[in-house]
Amino acid sequence: MKAHDGHYIDGAWRPAAGQDGIDVVNPVDEQVIGRVPAGTAEDVDQAVRAARAALPAWAATPPAERAARLGALRDVLVARKDEIAETVTAELGSPLKFSENVHAAVPIAVAGSYAELAATYAFEEKAGNSTVYLEPVGVVGAITPWNYPLHQIVAKVAPALAAGCTVVLKPAEDTPLVAQLFAEAVHDAGVPAGVFNLVTGLGPVAGQALAEHPGVDLVSFTGSTAVGRQIGRAAGAAVKRVALELGGKSANVILPSADLAKAVNVGVANVMSNSGQTCSAWTRMLVHRDQYEEAVALAATAAAKYGERIGPVVNAKQRARVRSYIEKGVAEGARLVAGGPESPREQGYFVAPTVFADVTPEMTIAQEEIFGPVLSVLRYEDEEDALRIANGTVYGLAGAVWAGDEAEAVAFARRMDTGQVDINGGRFNPLAPFGGYKQSGVGRELGTHGLAEYLQTKSLQF
Ligand code: NAP
Ligand code: MG
């Protein structure tokens, strides 16, 4: 795979300050496919300086021109979509079809949505005798994970650029190659030097230096709750803005009137896709006691079908983590009906699609984010019980409700403490705000709500 040995700073690939590198590994065969620089605080400082220097001109660029650059960026992503899919497949391990349909296609949709929003959004509004200007927050430090590596980059960079902010990105150490490809795309789209900068590196080194840099006005982070908490603390101490997209433990609530087979099959597919490495995955399936055994049998069959199609998890550490959760599920008394902790293959970081029945709400596997292909099926007595279970975790990122009647599903969804709910298998919408209630995060991404994160208001009174 093609890899740059420098950082993209101020419109060009610059030599790294240090000598250290990061080996990029293909999770399917454990082979090294590239090497990128492990950025230091010095690299981050250079990138932040470039972003600060570029800020006044970019912030003053008319929204229509910023929209044109985003439109050009979208076009480059379209032209390079096959390469994007191949790169994500090589460094994340996801099956190529999924990389094409999701990892490459969704960022194109999101970049396109911000090209449109930048052109149409009202950056100025009237309120009585005031004019309110929506101005860019400033320099954004973006820190992203590996699970949807390009989507998570675009979901931050596109609205930031639309708002008139400049950006320094620190992508996940496991998936830096698609981030480098993205930097090339930004360059080819004619975005001025310094507006977007990329420093690859390790979280506790480059990531922390970026989050703590006094020249950064807003830190936008997606990843684990543990690191998010740390970033929130540092941002609080510096009185700077922060956006956090953290973990989830979403409920898939199947009400008795639902099409049970459809709800179970879509639910299993939701959890198994991307090998379960989706923060919004519906990892807890809630089924009425009268339908419980039928649902468990359907889920076990559906999961077994994924056996051959599923990709590996991202690295050895994640595989060990997921396996230890499966072992914990068994130890705490849940009933394994598909998969298990044994590796299905000798090579690669594979985990078998796993389904647990007889999971009770207080079990570890029903409370903590596993981030692997593991589904828990829980039994509820009545609707109040289902709601209590659905809301009974520290998270509130997403969820699903299935019912025979849409209004019945909506009524239930309105009582869930969660940021996004799919009704009877509702389709992904790149304009819908995405983000969490409770410990799933602070702030929203995508659409106009995602754009607003990068804006601050100034009011003039007349
Ligand atoms: P993570 O450590 O939170 O990684 C997310 C990003 O933060 C990466 O770019 C990471 O760099 C960086 N980072 C790590 N420590 C940092 C620090 N002290 N200061 C600033 N940035 C830092 O997550 P992970 O280790 O990849 O995954 C662990 C668990 O997090 C997963 O099992 C899952 O439960 C959860 N997770 C959630 C999401 C989500 O979308 N909500 C995404 C990924 C992971 P490195 O790449 O070098 O670590
Ligand atoms: Mg990490």
Side-chain angles (χ1 to χ4, degrees):
M1 279 274 141
K2 182 178 162 194
H4 289 278
D5 61 2
H7 303 293
Y8 182 73
I9 296 175
D10 203 15
W13 293 92
R14 318 263 173 198
Q19 297 298 316
D20 291 349
I22 298 170
D23 284 334
V24 186
V25 174
N26 184 330
V28 170
D29 59 13
E30 304 177 37
Q31 299 302 304
V32 174
I33 55 169
R35 193 171 164 82
V36 301
T40 62
E42 205 179 320
D43 298 308
V44 169
D45 185 54
Q46 279 199 26
V48 173
R49 282 167 195 277
R52 279 232 85 80
L55 180 64
W58 184 246
T61 299
E65 170 56 18
R66 300 200 299 255
R69 292 304 110 231
L70 286 166
L73 173 61
R74 178 200 167 277
D75 293 346
V76 180
L77 297 178
V78 170
R80 298 185 69 179
K81 66 181 177 12
D82 293 342
E83 217 183 318
I84 290 169
E86 283 157 21
T87 303
V88 175
T89 286
E91 60 186 353
L92 181 65
S94 52
L96 189 61
K97 267 271 157 284
F98 190 77
S99 294
E100 289 167 355
N101 295 339
V102 177
H103 292 302
V106 174
I108 288 168
V110 173
S113 77
Y114 280 112
E116 244 170 71
L117 275 172
T120 56
Y121 193 77
F123 289 96
E124 194 183 315
E125 58 196 37
K126 291 270 182 230
N129 61 312
S130 303
T131 301
V132 180
Y133 295 93
L134 290 107
E135 300 186 339
V137 168
V139 173
V140 174
I143 301 173
T144 54
W146 41 263
N147 55 324
Y148 288 86
L150 184 59
H151 168 61
Q152 284 143 337
I153 289 170
V154 173
K156 296 187 189 312
V157 177
L161 299 193
C165 292
T166 59
V167 180
V168 177
L169 168 69
K170 202 303 280 179
E173 67 187 85
D174 291 293
T175 53
L177 300 181
V178 77
Q180 291 190 337
L181 192 161
F182 177 75
E184 292 176 359
V186 171
H187 187 89
D188 293 343
V191 173
V195 170
F196 170 80
N197 307 274
L198 169 71
V199 176
T200 51
L202 302 177
V205 183
Q208 196 167 329
L210 180 59
E212 293 177 351
H213 199 294
V216 170
D217 300 300
L218 161 67
V219 183
S220 180
F221 170 84
T222 300
S224 64
T225 300
V227 175
R229 201 171 270 130
Q230 220 173 303
I231 285 175
R233 204 179 292 130
V239 198
K240 69 171 74 158
R241 301 243 310 235
V242 67
L244 305 171
E245 292 293 338
L246 307 177
K249 193 71 194 173
S250 298
N252 178 14
V253 181
I254 306 176
L255 295 174
S257 60
D259 178 340
L260 184 68
K262 184 175 176 200
V264 170
N265 284 324
V266 175
V268 170
N270 173 283
V271 173
M272 300 307 163
S273 73
N274 213 37
S275 304
Q277 305 167 119
T278 305
C279 43
S280 56
W282 312 329
T283 50
R284 297 180 299 145
M285 183 182 284
L286 274 56
V287 184
H288 188 268
R289 66 182 153 92
D290 293 344
Q291 299 172 322
Y292 189 76
E293 288 307 329
E294 189 186 350
V296 166
L298 286 165
T301 307
K305 275 196 293 199
Y306 270 85
E308 294 302 308
R309 284 187 280 151
I310 202 165
V313 297
V314 71
N315 58 35
K317 191 173 147 209
Q318 280 298 121
R319 181 180 56 188
R321 191 186 132 99
V322 175
R323 277 187 186 160
S324 80
Y325 273 113
I326 298 174
E327 281 160 3
K328 199 153 217 171
V330 173
E332 290 183 6
R335 172 166 52 112
L336 202 51
V337 296
E342 299 80 28
S343 268
R345 293 196 210 176
E346 271 187 17
Q347 206 182 33
Y349 309 125
F350 289 88
V351 176
T354 296
V355 178
F356 278 109
D358 298 343
V359 178
T360 55
E362 67 289 346
M363 284 183 187
T364 305
I365 55 168
Q367 287 292 326
E368 295 182 15
E369 183 172 54
I370 299 173
F371 234 60
V374 182
L375 170 68
S376 292
V377 190
L378 292 93
R379 188 188 279 104
Y380 69 81
E381 295 294 320
D382 55 30
E383 216 170 279
E384 289 310 308
D385 192 34
L387 187 70
R388 189 180 53 76
I389 297 168
N391 288 339
T393 76
V394 297
Y395 295 114
L397 188 56
V401 183
W402 301 80
D405 170 3
E406 209 164 82
E408 185 192 354
V410 170
F412 191 96
R414 291 297 305 269
R415 298 170 74 199
M416 291 169 81
D417 302 330
T418 195
Q420 193 166 87
V421 185
D422 291 353
I423 302 295
N424 285 338
R427 281 174 301 117
F428 172 75
N429 174 6
L431 295 176
F434 179 79
Y437 280 34
K438 300 192 284 185
Q439 287 182 31
S440 285
V442 176
R444 293 291 180 273
E445 293 195 310
L446 305 182
T448 54
H449 296 271
L451 180 58
E453 294 285 328
Y454 297 93
L455 294 166
Q456 57 189 343
T457 56
K458 178 183 288 170
S459 55
L460 304 189
Q461 282 62 246
F462 298 89

